[in-house]
Amino acid sequence: MYTNKHVAKSLEKQHLRGVRKYYLCIADINIALSKVHQAIMPQIDLEQYKFATEYIHQYISHTSVWNLKFVVNLESPEVALLQIFHLHYIFEQEPVEKFKNERAILKEQEEAFLALKPFKEDHIERRRQAMLHYIIEQLSANMKE
């Protein structure tokens, strides 16, 4: 017969498996998005996306969005969200016929990310608006110089 201690341990193990699975899924998404970044990097003008990249780099530890490393970044839902925003921003500026495979991968990974429900929709929209606001501010400040 199970005691309360056995039930508690069983529930704890189940919870830990779920948490591990969640972070492995986030890591898979981040790795896939990082591969998209690496694939498009040689084909775009990085200077054109300087401010979007600067914004993203505020939230990535010890590395770059163009070459994502370290577990702390790979298992971060925030980094995944920001990579999605960054790629969307780039793809909105590039011709539609360019990067068809990469766009498909982004769509697939974004759907997988949203299925995990790491953030509420309003949080996601606020973060997206914050990035766009930052880019606009930097562009206007750069024009004044």
Side-chain angles (χ1 to χ4, degrees), residues 5 16 21 23 28 37 53-55 61-62 67-69 105 117 129:
K5 190 183 274 188
L16 290 175
K21 183 180 176 189
Y23 286 108
D28 288 344
H37 273 100
T53 303
E54 282 177 6
Y55 181 80
S61 301
H62 310 294
N67 189 21
L68 200 62
K69 297 178 184 175
I105 293 168
K117 298 182 181 183
Q129 291 299 326

Side-chain angles (χ1 to χ4, degrees), residues 18 22-23 26 30 36 38 55 59 63 71 76-78 92 96-97 100 115 122 125 131 134 136 143:
Y22 172 80
Y23 286 108
I26 293 292
N30 270 318
V36 171
Q38 291 171 2
Y55 181 80
Y59 302 94
T63 188
V71 172
S76 170
E78 191 73 24
E92 287 169 4
V96 175
E97 63 277 354
K100 287 189 189 253
D122 63 326
E125 185 57 27
M131 183 184 94
Y134 176 86
I136 291 167
M143 288 180 156

Side-chain angles (χ1 to χ4, degrees), residues 12-110:
E12 183 179 359
K13 283 181 184 178
Q14 184 179 359
H15 173 72
L16 290 175
R17 276 193 301 269
V19 168
R20 250 182 273 142
K21 183 180 176 189
Y22 172 80
Y23 286 108
L24 286 174
C25 290
I26 293 292
D28 288 344
I29 292 167
N30 270 318
I31 290 167
L33 294 173
S34 181
K35 286 179 182 176
V36 171
H37 273 100
Q38 291 171 2
I40 68 171
M41 185 174 73
Q43 302 174 51
I44 62 172
D45 176 14
L46 297 180
E47 188 64 26
Q48 182 179 351
Y49 306 110
K50 180 174 102 172
F51 299 125
T53 303
E54 282 177 6
Y55 181 80
I56 303 302
H57 285 163
Q58 295 175 48
Y59 302 94
I60 297 177
S61 301
H62 310 294
T63 188
S64 165
V65 71
W66 302 110
N67 189 21
L68 200 62
K69 297 178 184 175
F70 305 114
V71 172
V72 70
N73 293 319
L74 294 175
E75 291 184 348
S76 170
E78 191 73 24
V79 171
L81 180 64
L82 292 171
Q83 281 199 89
I84 290 168
F85 291 163
H86 193 247
L87 288 167
H88 272 297
Y89 182 78
I90 292 169
F91 291 155
E92 287 169 4
Q93 312 301 315
E94 296 292 326
V96 175
E97 63 277 354
K98 200 171 178 184
F99 305 121
K100 287 189 189 253
N101 289 341
E102 290 81 0
R103 290 173 195 262
I105 293 168
L106 172 60
K107 186 176 192 295
E108 178 184 310
Q109 295 305 316
E110 184 176 14

